Amino acid sequence: MTPLRIGIAGIAIESSTFSPHRTRLADFTVTRGDALLARYSWMGAPWTTGAEWVPLLHAVSLPGGAVEPEVYDALEAEIVERAKAAGPLDGLFFDIHGAMSVVGRTDAEARLATVIREAVGPDTLISASMDLHGNVSRELASAVDLITCYRMAPHEDAWESRERAAYNLVERLHDGGRPRKAWVQVPVLLPGEKTSTRVEPAKSLYGRIPAVEALPGVVDAAIWVGYAWADEPRCRAAVVVTGDDEEVIAAQARELAEAYWHARDDFAFVAPTGTFDECLATALASDARPFLISDSGDNPTAGGAGDVSWTLSRLLVVEELRLGKASAIYASIVDPEAVATAFAAGEGAEVMVRAGGRIDAGPSGPVAIAGMVHSLLPGDPVGGDIAVIRTGGLHVILTSRRKPYHEICDFTALGLSPADTDLVIVKIGYLEPELYDLAADWLLALTPGGVDQDLLRLGHHGVRRPLFPFDPDMADPDLTPELL
């Protein structure tokens, strides 16, 4: 039997159009050849028998600002060139995030899927795996044959979802052929911190998916929250149910879409919220330790610049921290110049640096930090060179490249113990699993930045209206799915 030939390609990034940060080629990790195949632990699993996987190109970046056009063009051109040179492909696994924005353009993933389709031809089955915070336009849904997304936020099932997309592709190539898709967008746009699957109503909405997927005539069912910090017409929730029974997939897509619409007023933040000053006062007065505060407006894993310094400026004037009566960790501020100064001085040295506010000046430009170099970590794979400066009871983490702080080891590698610290302030939205388990208590601070949780103050003008919550009194929409 001739083996199935399946290509692998994609560009994966989440891009805030409200952030002044720009994503360049150096921000991407680009893999080809065996390194690309090594990304996927399911290579060699029994269900892959009889398939030859053809690595084209995959590029992935930490979320950030919009991608520079020339960077996108170069990556797209190489994928297309490699797809054409690969020879006939039975299928293609399209591994994307779904919320990439390119400066001056809209609907980047639909464009990428369309040019790949042109390169591989109409007979090749394309299966896309996406983040549930991606956007599914009609053009994107039409350009692929199978499409699915994560079912958990936080995304503990990300690799499971990629495997499902690849598995469904192999199964259809063996005996299923091209399925139909029931696609419908839901005019709701909410931040991920209001749609976590840890809590209702998203918990129950996503909990319905396995039962839909198990119905005869259904291959996959998926709900997308959409991406709230890009200002494009495609930005809104979506539902796609894929399968062979047109009546069933259309009915199920409509039910899921209507359930999402009717729950729109029930979505709430995953944690208690407040201004940063309110959250800080509550944390200092609490006996819960460690007390975590999310600096949500500049979350780099949602697309924030990672150097908005306003929160840090507030911490530096807190008397309890200034006098060392309370301890805190602030993670983090990206500022290569400040890091270089700390490295030049060395551990234990007293330094004065100005940090942050160089990419996104926001309400506060660079802020002055005077203190002792607590620790230095050269060559972190994500953050580059990293320095910690202690001033009073506050430890400020400075990085030379944008880095999220999600795991305990991120802190202990710097000689910090968040479990033994009074307050841990992290540029993040909802807490990732290890920090969630660590927190004795937790507040979500509604802080400024390119991924501000208060969508109404960001100034969207490119989204399609009416759209909830921008138009809270809008009429019920027509949620009849379109069969693609």
Side-chain angles (χ1 to χ4, degrees), residues 246-292:
E246 295 182 2
E247 185 175 337
V248 170
I249 64 173
Q252 294 301 317
R254 184 178 190 112
E255 285 188 21
L256 291 174
E258 288 180 345
Y260 197 103
W261 170 253
H262 291 308
R264 66 192 182 282
D265 285 314
D266 299 329
F267 289 100
F269 284 114
V270 69
T273 63
T275 67
F276 184 71
D277 288 346
E278 290 169 345
C279 292
L280 187 58
T282 299
L284 287 168
S286 172
D287 293 328
R289 294 293 183 263
F291 198 114
L292 270 72

mmCIF file of all heavy atoms in Angstrom, residues 246-292:
data_model
loop_
_atom_site.group_PDB
_atom_site.id
_atom_site.type_symbol
_atom_site.label_atom_id
_atom_site.label_comp_id
_atom_site.label_asym_id
_atom_site.label_seq_id
_atom_site.Cartn_x
_atom_site.Cartn_y
_atom_site.Cartn_z
ATOM 1 N N GLU A 246 -25.410 16.239 7.204
ATOM 2 C CA GLU A 246 -25.600 17.687 7.149
ATOM 3 C C GLU A 246 -26.676 18.164 8.118
ATOM 4 O O GLU A 246 -26.538 19.227 8.739
ATOM 5 C CB GLU A 246 -25.938 18.112 5.729
ATOM 6 C CG GLU A 246 -24.804 17.874 4.740
ATOM 7 C CD GLU A 246 -25.135 18.341 3.348
ATOM 8 O OE1 GLU A 246 -26.250 18.895 3.150
ATOM 9 O OE2 GLU A 246 -24.298 18.164 2.442
ATOM 10 N N GLU A 247 -27.731 17.390 8.241
ATOM 11 C CA GLU A 247 -28.818 17.796 9.133
ATOM 12 C C GLU A 247 -28.349 17.813 10.588
ATOM 13 O O GLU A 247 -28.641 18.741 11.342
ATOM 14 C CB GLU A 247 -30.004 16.846 8.972
ATOM 15 C CG GLU A 247 -31.227 17.249 9.776
ATOM 16 C CD GLU A 247 -32.424 16.359 9.504
ATOM 17 O OE1 GLU A 247 -32.471 15.727 8.423
ATOM 18 O OE2 GLU A 247 -33.315 16.296 10.378
ATOM 19 N N VAL A 248 -27.598 16.794 10.968
ATOM 20 C CA VAL A 248 -27.120 16.691 12.351
ATOM 21 C C VAL A 248 -26.112 17.784 12.662
ATOM 22 O O VAL A 248 -26.207 18.462 13.688
ATOM 23 C CB VAL A 248 -26.514 15.297 12.617
ATOM 24 C CG1 VAL A 248 -25.805 15.266 13.979
ATOM 25 C CG2 VAL A 248 -27.602 14.232 12.575
ATOM 26 N N ILE A 249 -25.127 17.981 11.779
ATOM 27 C CA ILE A 249 -24.092 18.971 12.109
ATOM 28 C C ILE A 249 -24.668 20.380 12.127
ATOM 29 O O ILE A 249 -24.266 21.206 12.956
ATOM 30 C CB ILE A 249 -22.874 18.864 11.160
ATOM 31 C CG1 ILE A 249 -23.235 19.177 9.715
ATOM 32 C CG2 ILE A 249 -22.223 17.485 11.289
ATOM 33 C CD1 ILE A 249 -22.016 19.240 8.783
ATOM 34 N N ALA A 250 -25.618 20.665 11.271
ATOM 35 C CA ALA A 250 -26.235 21.994 11.267
ATOM 36 C C ALA A 250 -27.032 22.220 12.550
ATOM 37 O O ALA A 250 -26.967 23.293 13.161
ATOM 38 C CB ALA A 250 -27.126 22.164 10.046
ATOM 39 N N ALA A 251 -27.792 21.207 12.954
ATOM 40 C CA ALA A 251 -28.610 21.339 14.168
ATOM 41 C C ALA A 251 -27.723 21.506 15.402
ATOM 42 O O ALA A 251 -28.007 22.336 16.281
ATOM 43 C CB ALA A 251 -29.509 20.115 14.325
ATOM 44 N N GLN A 252 -26.642 20.741 15.469
ATOM 45 C CA GLN A 252 -25.767 20.819 16.637
ATOM 46 C C GLN A 252 -24.993 22.129 16.675
ATOM 47 O O GLN A 252 -24.789 22.715 17.743
ATOM 48 C CB GLN A 252 -24.803 19.630 16.650
ATOM 49 C CG GLN A 252 -25.486 18.288 16.852
ATOM 50 C CD GLN A 252 -26.262 18.220 18.162
ATOM 51 O OE1 GLN A 252 -25.785 18.673 19.194
ATOM 52 N NE2 GLN A 252 -27.471 17.681 18.101
ATOM 53 N N ALA A 253 -24.562 22.618 15.515
ATOM 54 C CA ALA A 253 -23.866 23.899 15.479
ATOM 55 C C ALA A 253 -24.789 25.019 15.946
ATOM 56 O O ALA A 253 -24.379 25.915 16.693
ATOM 57 C CB ALA A 253 -23.348 24.184 14.071
ATOM 58 N N ARG A 254 -26.035 24.952 15.515
ATOM 59 C CA ARG A 254 -26.986 25.996 15.931
ATOM 60 C C ARG A 254 -27.223 25.928 17.442
ATOM 61 O O ARG A 254 -27.257 26.962 18.114
ATOM 62 C CB ARG A 254 -28.305 25.822 15.184
ATOM 63 C CG ARG A 254 -29.283 26.938 15.518
ATOM 64 C CD ARG A 254 -30.580 26.836 14.759
ATOM 65 N NE ARG A 254 -31.350 28.063 14.962
ATOM 66 C CZ ARG A 254 -31.607 28.958 14.030
ATOM 67 N NH1 ARG A 254 -31.183 28.774 12.795
ATOM 68 N NH2 ARG A 254 -32.308 30.039 14.295
ATOM 69 N N GLU A 255 -27.384 24.722 17.982
ATOM 70 C CA GLU A 255 -27.626 24.593 19.428
ATOM 71 C C GLU A 255 -26.459 25.152 20.235
ATOM 72 O O GLU A 255 -26.651 25.857 21.231
ATOM 73 C CB GLU A 255 -27.870 23.127 19.793
ATOM 74 C CG GLU A 255 -29.237 22.611 19.402
ATOM 75 C CD GLU A 255 -29.505 21.230 19.963
ATOM 76 O OE1 GLU A 255 -28.841 20.841 20.943
ATOM 77 O OE2 GLU A 255 -30.388 20.540 19.420
ATOM 78 N N LEU A 256 -25.234 24.832 19.826
ATOM 79 C CA LEU A 256 -24.067 25.336 20.549
ATOM 80 C C LEU A 256 -23.962 26.854 20.431
ATOM 81 O O LEU A 256 -23.656 27.551 21.406
ATOM 82 C CB LEU A 256 -22.793 24.676 20.022
ATOM 83 C CG LEU A 256 -22.614 23.179 20.333
ATOM 84 C CD1 LEU A 256 -21.377 22.636 19.632
ATOM 85 C CD2 LEU A 256 -22.522 22.939 21.836
ATOM 86 N N ALA A 257 -24.222 27.377 19.230
ATOM 87 C CA ALA A 257 -24.154 28.825 19.031
ATOM 88 C C ALA A 257 -25.213 29.548 19.855
ATOM 89 O O ALA A 257 -24.951 30.594 20.473
ATOM 90 C CB ALA A 257 -24.314 29.153 17.550
ATOM 91 N N GLU A 258 -26.421 29.006 19.884
ATOM 92 C CA GLU A 258 -27.490 29.636 20.659
ATOM 93 C C GLU A 258 -27.196 29.564 22.152
ATOM 94 O O GLU A 258 -27.466 30.518 22.896
ATOM 95 C CB GLU A 258 -28.828 28.972 20.333
ATOM 96 C CG GLU A 258 -29.343 29.322 18.934
ATOM 97 C CD GLU A 258 -30.674 28.664 18.601
ATOM 98 O OE1 GLU A 258 -31.055 27.717 19.331
ATOM 99 O OE2 GLU A 258 -31.320 29.089 17.621
ATOM 100 N N ALA A 259 -26.615 28.454 22.598
ATOM 101 C CA ALA A 259 -26.262 28.338 24.014
ATOM 102 C C ALA A 259 -25.221 29.381 24.393
ATOM 103 O O ALA A 259 -25.290 29.995 25.471
ATOM 104 C CB ALA A 259 -25.743 26.933 24.302
ATOM 105 N N TYR A 260 -24.270 29.603 23.509
ATOM 106 C CA TYR A 260 -23.236 30.613 23.768
ATOM 107 C C TYR A 260 -23.870 32.002 23.827
ATOM 108 O O TYR A 260 -23.593 32.790 24.739
ATOM 109 C CB TYR A 260 -22.173 30.555 22.665
ATOM 110 C CG TYR A 260 -20.872 31.235 23.019
ATOM 111 C CD1 TYR A 260 -19.758 30.496 23.395
ATOM 112 C CD2 TYR A 260 -20.755 32.629 22.975
ATOM 113 C CE1 TYR A 260 -18.566 31.120 23.719
ATOM 114 C CE2 TYR A 260 -19.574 33.255 23.297
ATOM 115 C CZ TYR A 260 -18.476 32.505 23.668
ATOM 116 O OH TYR A 260 -17.307 33.130 24.007
ATOM 117 N N TRP A 261 -24.710 32.302 22.859
ATOM 118 C CA TRP A 261 -25.361 33.609 22.809
ATOM 119 C C TRP A 261 -26.191 33.860 24.066
ATOM 120 O O TRP A 261 -26.125 34.939 24.667
ATOM 121 C CB TRP A 261 -26.210 33.722 21.557
ATOM 122 C CG TRP A 261 -27.100 34.929 21.534
ATOM 123 C CD1 TRP A 261 -28.454 34.977 21.694
ATOM 124 C CD2 TRP A 261 -26.670 36.296 21.371
ATOM 125 N NE1 TRP A 261 -28.900 36.265 21.623
ATOM 126 C CE2 TRP A 261 -27.835 37.100 21.430
ATOM 127 C CE3 TRP A 261 -25.440 36.903 21.177
ATOM 128 C CZ2 TRP A 261 -27.783 38.486 21.300
ATOM 129 C CZ3 TRP A 261 -25.383 38.293 21.047
ATOM 130 C CH2 TRP A 261 -26.552 39.061 21.115
ATOM 131 N N HIS A 262 -26.971 32.874 24.468
ATOM 132 C CA HIS A 262 -27.857 33.065 25.617
ATOM 133 C C HIS A 262 -27.081 33.169 26.930
ATOM 134 O O HIS A 262 -27.624 33.686 27.924
ATOM 135 C CB HIS A 262 -28.885 31.945 25.678
ATOM 136 C CG HIS A 262 -29.897 31.998 24.562
ATOM 137 N ND1 HIS A 262 -30.615 33.130 24.265
ATOM 138 C CD2 HIS A 262 -30.286 31.058 23.662
ATOM 139 C CE1 HIS A 262 -31.414 32.903 23.229
ATOM 140 N NE2 HIS A 262 -31.231 31.659 22.840
ATOM 141 N N ALA A 263 -25.843 32.702 26.935
ATOM 142 C CA ALA A 263 -25.023 32.773 28.150
ATOM 143 C C ALA A 263 -24.197 34.056 28.214
ATOM 144 O O ALA A 263 -23.453 34.257 29.172
ATOM 145 C CB ALA A 263 -24.095 31.565 28.215
ATOM 146 N N ARG A 264 -24.347 34.943 27.233
ATOM 147 C CA ARG A 264 -23.416 36.066 27.089
ATOM 148 C C ARG A 264 -23.341 36.942 28.328
ATOM 149 O O ARG A 264 -22.278 37.483 28.662
ATOM 150 C CB ARG A 264 -23.775 36.907 25.859
ATOM 151 C CG ARG A 264 -25.118 37.643 25.952
ATOM 152 C CD ARG A 264 -25.543 38.199 24.601
ATOM 153 N NE ARG A 264 -26.792 38.954 24.668
ATOM 154 C CZ ARG A 264 -27.988 38.399 24.725
ATOM 155 N NH1 ARG A 264 -28.110 37.072 24.728
ATOM 156 N NH2 ARG A 264 -29.073 39.159 24.768
ATOM 157 N N ASP A 265 -24.459 37.136 29.027
ATOM 158 C CA ASP A 265 -24.463 37.994 30.214
ATOM 159 C C ASP A 265 -23.929 37.280 31.446
ATOM 160 O O ASP A 265 -23.701 37.914 32.482
ATOM 161 C CB ASP A 265 -25.880 38.498 30.499
ATOM 162 C CG ASP A 265 -26.312 39.599 29.531
ATOM 163 O OD1 ASP A 265 -25.502 40.517 29.301
ATOM 164 O OD2 ASP A 265 -27.426 39.521 29.001
ATOM 165 N N ASP A 266 -23.752 35.968 31.344
ATOM 166 C CA ASP A 266 -23.332 35.181 32.504
ATOM 167 C C ASP A 266 -21.816 35.066 32.621
ATOM 168 O O ASP A 266 -21.308 34.645 33.667
ATOM 169 C CB ASP A 266 -23.940 33.776 32.440
ATOM 170 C CG ASP A 266 -25.461 33.800 32.442
ATOM 171 O OD1 ASP A 266 -26.032 34.721 33.057
ATOM 172 O OD2 ASP A 266 -26.076 32.903 31.827
ATOM 173 N N PHE A 267 -21.091 35.402 31.553
ATOM 174 C CA PHE A 267 -19.637 35.314 31.616
ATOM 175 C C PHE A 267 -19.108 36.373 32.575
ATOM 176 O O PHE A 267 -19.476 37.543 32.485
ATOM 177 C CB PHE A 267 -19.029 35.518 30.231
ATOM 178 C CG PHE A 267 -19.264 34.368 29.284
ATOM 179 C CD1 PHE A 267 -20.275 34.438 28.337
ATOM 180 C CD2 PHE A 267 -18.481 33.231 29.344
ATOM 181 C CE1 PHE A 267 -20.501 33.397 27.454
ATOM 182 C CE2 PHE A 267 -18.693 32.183 28.467
ATOM 183 C CZ PHE A 267 -19.704 32.255 27.520
ATOM 184 N N ALA A 268 -18.255 35.949 33.480
ATOM 185 C CA ALA A 268 -17.679 36.863 34.467
ATOM 186 C C ALA A 268 -16.199 36.549 34.621
ATOM 187 O O ALA A 268 -15.720 35.483 34.226
ATOM 188 C CB ALA A 268 -18.395 36.719 35.809
ATOM 189 N N PHE A 269 -15.470 37.477 35.193
ATOM 190 C CA PHE A 269 -14.043 37.251 35.378
ATOM 191 C C PHE A 269 -13.797 36.018 36.240
ATOM 192 O O PHE A 269 -14.559 35.731 37.170
ATOM 193 C CB PHE A 269 -13.379 38.475 35.996
ATOM 194 C CG PHE A 269 -13.175 39.595 35.023
ATOM 195 C CD1 PHE A 269 -13.849 40.802 35.160
ATOM 196 C CD2 PHE A 269 -12.297 39.445 33.957
ATOM 197 C CE1 PHE A 269 -13.654 41.834 34.265
ATOM 198 C CE2 PHE A 269 -12.100 40.479 33.044
ATOM 199 C CZ PHE A 269 -12.781 41.669 33.194
ATOM 200 N N VAL A 270 -12.723 35.341 35.942
ATOM 201 C CA VAL A 270 -12.402 34.066 36.580
ATOM 202 C C VAL A 270 -11.980 34.258 38.035
ATOM 203 O O VAL A 270 -11.912 33.296 38.802
ATOM 204 C CB VAL A 270 -11.301 33.347 35.775
ATOM 205 C CG1 VAL A 270 -9.976 34.065 35.872
ATOM 206 C CG2 VAL A 270 -11.168 31.883 36.173
ATOM 207 N N ALA A 271 -11.692 35.487 38.434
ATOM 208 C CA ALA A 271 -11.316 35.796 39.812
ATOM 209 C C ALA A 271 -11.893 37.153 40.183
ATOM 210 O O ALA A 271 -12.268 37.935 39.302
ATOM 211 C CB ALA A 271 -9.790 35.819 39.955
ATOM 212 N N PRO A 272 -11.960 37.462 41.479
ATOM 213 C CA PRO A 272 -12.371 38.811 41.873
ATOM 214 C C PRO A 272 -11.424 39.843 41.275
ATOM 215 O O PRO A 272 -10.218 39.604 41.146
ATOM 216 C CB PRO A 272 -12.269 38.777 43.400
ATOM 217 C CG PRO A 272 -12.390 37.338 43.765
ATOM 218 C CD PRO A 272 -11.737 36.586 42.639
ATOM 219 N N THR A 273 -11.970 40.988 40.880
ATOM 220 C CA THR A 273 -11.180 42.011 40.195
ATOM 221 C C THR A 273 -11.198 43.320 40.974
ATOM 222 O O THR A 273 -11.978 43.505 41.913
ATOM 223 C CB THR A 273 -11.723 42.269 38.783
ATOM 224 O OG1 THR A 273 -13.064 42.775 38.889
ATOM 225 C CG2 THR A 273 -11.718 41.001 37.950
ATOM 226 N N GLY A 274 -10.342 44.222 40.547
ATOM 227 C CA GLY A 274 -10.312 45.563 41.105
ATOM 228 C C GLY A 274 -9.224 46.358 40.430
ATOM 229 O O GLY A 274 -8.479 45.836 39.595
ATOM 230 N N THR A 275 -9.126 47.619 40.770
ATOM 231 C CA THR A 275 -7.983 48.395 40.317
ATOM 232 C C THR A 275 -6.735 47.817 40.967
ATOM 233 O O THR A 275 -6.821 47.063 41.955
ATOM 234 C CB THR A 275 -8.118 49.870 40.705
ATOM 235 O OG1 THR A 275 -8.050 49.977 42.142
ATOM 236 C CG2 THR A 275 -9.437 50.453 40.206
ATOM 237 N N PHE A 276 -5.564 48.175 40.444
ATOM 238 C CA PHE A 276 -4.349 47.621 41.046
ATOM 239 C C PHE A 276 -4.202 48.079 42.489
ATOM 240 O O PHE A 276 -3.848 47.280 43.376
ATOM 241 C CB PHE A 276 -3.114 48.022 40.246
ATOM 242 C CG PHE A 276 -1.862 47.393 40.794
ATOM 243 C CD1 PHE A 276 -1.636 46.031 40.648
ATOM 244 C CD2 PHE A 276 -0.935 48.152 41.488
ATOM 245 C CE1 PHE A 276 -0.506 45.437 41.173
ATOM 246 C CE2 PHE A 276 0.203 47.568 42.012
ATOM 247 C CZ PHE A 276 0.423 46.202 41.861
ATOM 248 N N ASP A 277 -4.505 49.332 42.761
ATOM 249 C CA ASP A 277 -4.378 49.826 44.132
ATOM 250 C C ASP A 277 -5.332 49.100 45.071
ATOM 251 O O ASP A 277 -4.975 48.781 46.215
ATOM 252 C CB ASP A 277 -4.631 51.331 44.179
ATOM 253 C CG ASP A 277 -3.486 52.131 43.566
ATOM 254 O OD1 ASP A 277 -2.408 51.552 43.351
ATOM 255 O OD2 ASP A 277 -3.682 53.333 43.290
ATOM 256 N N GLU A 278 -6.539 48.816 44.593
ATOM 257 C CA GLU A 278 -7.492 48.066 45.416
ATOM 258 C C GLU A 278 -6.982 46.654 45.680
ATOM 259 O O GLU A 278 -7.053 46.152 46.813
ATOM 260 C CB GLU A 278 -8.851 48.007 44.717
ATOM 261 C CG GLU A 278 -9.582 49.345 44.676
ATOM 262 C CD GLU A 278 -10.785 49.329 43.755
ATOM 263 O OE1 GLU A 278 -10.913 48.387 42.933
ATOM 264 O OE2 GLU A 278 -11.608 50.261 43.845
ATOM 265 N N CYS A 279 -6.466 46.012 44.643
ATOM 266 C CA CYS A 279 -5.957 44.640 44.806
ATOM 267 C C CYS A 279 -4.763 44.619 45.750
ATOM 268 O O CYS A 279 -4.633 43.716 46.593
ATOM 269 C CB CYS A 279 -5.570 44.066 43.450
ATOM 270 S SG CYS A 279 -6.966 43.773 42.337
ATOM 271 N N LEU A 280 -3.886 45.593 45.618
ATOM 272 C CA LEU A 280 -2.694 45.651 46.454
ATOM 273 C C LEU A 280 -3.071 45.869 47.918
ATOM 274 O O LEU A 280 -2.525 45.204 48.820
ATOM 275 C CB LEU A 280 -1.786 46.772 45.959
ATOM 276 C CG LEU A 280 -0.409 46.895 46.611
ATOM 277 C CD1 LEU A 280 0.379 45.603 46.453
ATOM 278 C CD2 LEU A 280 0.349 48.060 45.998
ATOM 279 N N ALA A 281 -4.011 46.757 48.170
ATOM 280 C CA ALA A 281 -4.441 47.008 49.554
ATOM 281 C C ALA A 281 -5.059 45.759 50.171
ATOM 282 O O ALA A 281 -4.790 45.428 51.339
ATOM 283 C CB ALA A 281 -5.430 48.173 49.577
ATOM 284 N N THR A 282 -5.869 45.048 49.395
ATOM 285 C CA THR A 282 -6.490 43.820 49.896
ATOM 286 C C THR A 282 -5.432 42.773 50.199
ATOM 287 O O THR A 282 -5.486 42.094 51.238
ATOM 288 C CB THR A 282 -7.483 43.273 48.857
ATOM 289 O OG1 THR A 282 -8.514 44.237 48.639
ATOM 290 C CG2 THR A 282 -8.111 41.973 49.336
ATOM 291 N N ALA A 283 -4.460 42.633 49.307
ATOM 292 C CA ALA A 283 -3.416 41.628 49.489
ATOM 293 C C ALA A 283 -2.572 41.922 50.715
ATOM 294 O O ALA A 283 -2.237 41.011 51.488
ATOM 295 C CB ALA A 283 -2.548 41.569 48.242
ATOM 296 N N LEU A 284 -2.195 43.178 50.918
ATOM 297 C CA LEU A 284 -1.374 43.528 52.069
ATOM 298 C C LEU A 284 -2.112 43.316 53.380
ATOM 299 O O LEU A 284 -1.512 42.926 54.389
ATOM 300 C CB LEU A 284 -0.922 44.992 51.965
ATOM 301 C CG LEU A 284 0.159 45.277 50.913
ATOM 302 C CD1 LEU A 284 0.310 46.774 50.703
ATOM 303 C CD2 LEU A 284 1.492 44.654 51.324
ATOM 304 N N ALA A 285 -3.421 43.526 53.373
ATOM 305 C CA ALA A 285 -4.211 43.368 54.598
ATOM 306 C C ALA A 285 -4.561 41.917 54.886
ATOM 307 O O ALA A 285 -4.934 41.572 56.020
ATOM 308 C CB ALA A 285 -5.491 44.195 54.487
ATOM 309 N N SER A 286 -4.424 41.048 53.900
ATOM 310 C CA SER A 286 -4.826 39.650 54.040
ATOM 311 C C SER A 286 -3.762 38.844 54.782
ATOM 312 O O SER A 286 -2.568 39.167 54.761
ATOM 313 C CB SER A 286 -5.059 39.041 52.660
ATOM 314 O OG SER A 286 -5.275 37.648 52.747
ATOM 315 N N ASP A 287 -4.213 37.759 55.415
ATOM 316 C CA ASP A 287 -3.290 36.790 56.022
ATOM 317 C C ASP A 287 -2.927 35.678 55.052
ATOM 318 O O ASP A 287 -2.070 34.842 55.367
ATOM 319 C CB ASP A 287 -3.922 36.174 57.279
ATOM 320 C CG ASP A 287 -4.090 37.197 58.397
ATOM 321 O OD1 ASP A 287 -3.254 38.120 58.481
ATOM 322 O OD2 ASP A 287 -5.064 37.084 59.167
ATOM 323 N N ALA A 288 -3.572 35.620 53.892
ATOM 324 C CA ALA A 288 -3.312 34.554 52.914
ATOM 325 C C ALA A 288 -1.949 34.775 52.271
ATOM 326 O O ALA A 288 -1.679 35.842 51.724
ATOM 327 C CB ALA A 288 -4.399 34.531 51.859
ATOM 328 N N ARG A 289 -1.111 33.767 52.312
ATOM 329 C CA ARG A 289 0.228 33.859 51.736
ATOM 330 C C ARG A 289 0.608 32.554 51.043
ATOM 331 O O ARG A 289 0.382 31.494 51.613
ATOM 332 C CB ARG A 289 1.259 34.178 52.834
ATOM 333 C CG ARG A 289 1.093 35.555 53.481
ATOM 334 C CD ARG A 289 1.391 36.667 52.474
ATOM 335 N NE ARG A 289 1.318 38.005 53.045
ATOM 336 C CZ ARG A 289 0.275 38.802 52.969
ATOM 337 N NH1 ARG A 289 -0.823 38.403 52.344
ATOM 338 N NH2 ARG A 289 0.312 40.006 53.498
ATOM 339 N N PRO A 290 1.158 32.608 49.851
ATOM 340 C CA PRO A 290 1.362 33.821 49.068
ATOM 341 C C PRO A 290 0.059 34.315 48.449
ATOM 342 O O PRO A 290 -0.815 33.517 48.110
ATOM 343 C CB PRO A 290 2.343 33.368 47.989
ATOM 344 C CG PRO A 290 2.033 31.918 47.788
ATOM 345 C CD PRO A 290 1.677 31.399 49.157
ATOM 346 N N PHE A 291 -0.039 35.601 48.322
ATOM 347 C CA PHE A 291 -1.200 36.240 47.697
ATOM 348 C C PHE A 291 -0.769 36.660 46.296
ATOM 349 O O PHE A 291 0.184 37.413 46.144
ATOM 350 C CB PHE A 291 -1.629 37.459 48.515
ATOM 351 C CG PHE A 291 -3.030 37.921 48.226
ATOM 352 C CD1 PHE A 291 -4.016 37.831 49.194
ATOM 353 C CD2 PHE A 291 -3.370 38.449 46.988
ATOM 354 C CE1 PHE A 291 -5.314 38.257 48.941
ATOM 355 C CE2 PHE A 291 -4.660 38.864 46.719
ATOM 356 C CZ PHE A 291 -5.634 38.767 47.709
ATOM 357 N N LEU A 292 -1.450 36.154 45.267
ATOM 358 C CA LEU A 292 -1.073 36.473 43.891
ATOM 359 C C LEU A 292 -1.975 37.547 43.304
ATOM 360 O O LEU A 292 -3.193 37.553 43.561
ATOM 361 C CB LEU A 292 -1.103 35.221 43.014
ATOM 362 C CG LEU A 292 0.237 34.458 42.970
ATOM 363 C CD1 LEU A 292 0.506 33.736 44.286
ATOM 364 C CD2 LEU A 292 0.282 33.484 41.812
#
